[in-house]
Amino acid sequence: MKILIIRLSSIGDIIQCMSVVTGLKNKFPEAEIHWVVRADMESLVRIDPRIDHIWAFDRKEGFGGVFKLGSRLKREQFDLIYDAHSNIRSNILKLVLCPFGLCNLFKRNKLVTRHKDRLKRLLLFRFGINLLPKPFKALDSFRHPLKKWDVSEFNTPFSDWNFPRETEEKIEQLVLKQLPDPRKFVTLVPSAAWELKRWPVNYWQELVTIRKDLHFVVLGGPGDTFCEEIKASAPERVINLAGKTSLMESFCAVWHSPYVISGDTGFLHAADLFQKPGQAIIGPTAFGYPSNPKMKVMEVDLPCRPCTKDGSTKCKLKEERKCLMDISPLLVAKSIDL
């Protein structure tokens, strides 16, 4: 049996979609799994050795390249096709592989698609009418379409992630060898693409100060200079990796973490995929909820939540970011179970 997964981008969505591989392997253990992904995201998919073939697509090739790729894929004669993207490019691939859905007439549910519930999203963010599941777990939304194939068991532990050797070596040097006990530290992810969904820096500092019994590793990008402020609250117990690791290296750090505390970011989705224990600090956004039962959700119930898809809008309250401000560092500190 050959199964094709189409998920071209983005980082967070690819990570969440990767959780379906476990379900597919549980249901079809001998299946050969193929994945179509954008070329600049290919390395991310490669960490899962259960994916047998990766078809990398370069955006520079345009729509003509998509049709050519579709022709190559058609020759593979896939038994099952999962469009986990549902955009223009994935629709072109489906048009080549299963013209107008006709393949489903001959083989029921050969092709399944993850739909984005665009109307429900419009109602939520434009009119405040929430018809989406509460809470909305995006990772589950990638799994749900596979019920048509009777795929239902996704939480089987998997630990053979295949990070590049140089990536593993760098994390060992920067993190594991720097800690008195590499089995007892907390990874913090204070950054986010938009300010609206960031837990305040002074809250992270207070968290570190309260838990004097723990060491911490901080992940962030080159522009996240505030991560140094978090380290300054306890420099002898905090390793700041902001700007020192690539995206792949940061994901590897999450994989080696005994415990992860993060806002709604791609690193939270990675912790969810790796089934890490930890805490998800969820504020104004709608789609960051983890599915992993080991991950505690830290949130406050406000009538205005959720108010944004990704944090790119402005807070509607006078007390800005109240949904995050009301999650106290003491509460988070006491909830760490390590």
Side-chain angles (χ1 to χ4, degrees), residues 91-105 111:
N91 286 332
I92 292 174
L93 291 176
K94 286 190 297 186
L95 183 64
V96 176
L97 294 170
C98 179
F100 307 106
L102 291 177
C103 63
N104 280 353
L105 295 178
L111 168 67

Side-chain angles (χ1 to χ4, degrees), residues 22-58:
T22 297
L24 291 172
K25 280 297 186 181
N26 283 337
K27 179 66 177 179
F28 311 108
E30 302 302 321
E32 186 177 294
I33 297 180
H34 294 231
W35 191 301
V36 180
V37 68
R38 218 168 64 192
D40 55 328
M41 306 281 175
E42 180 182 1
S43 61
L44 187 56
V45 182
R46 287 200 177 280
I47 70 172
D48 193 337
R50 298 169 297 178
I51 299 172
D52 299 284
H53 192 99
I54 298 173
W55 301 82
F57 169 74
D58 192 338

Side-chain angles (χ1 to χ4, degrees), residues 214-228:
L214 294 173
H215 284 72
F216 297 88
V217 173
V218 182
L219 297 180
D224 297 328
T225 55
F226 56 83
C227 291
E228 194 61 30

Side-chain angles (χ1 to χ4, degrees), residues 7 26 29 56 66 126 164 191 227 234 236 245 250 264 282 312:
R7 182 71 219 190
N26 283 337
V66 181
R126 183 66 63 87
S191 183
C227 291
E236 73 285 355
T245 53
S250 295
D264 179 6
I282 305 296
S312 59

Side-chain angles (χ1 to χ4, degrees), residues 33 101 116 197 299:
I33 297 180
K116 298 181 179 179
K197 60 179 182 178
E299 62 179 339

Side-chain angles (χ1 to χ4, degrees), residues 183-186 211 213-215 258-259 277 335-338:
R183 297 167 301 178
K184 192 175 181 180
F185 71 92
V186 177
R211 292 303 302 259
D213 59 317
L214 294 173
H215 284 72
Y259 199 91
S335 299
I336 296 176
D337 185 14
L338 182 63

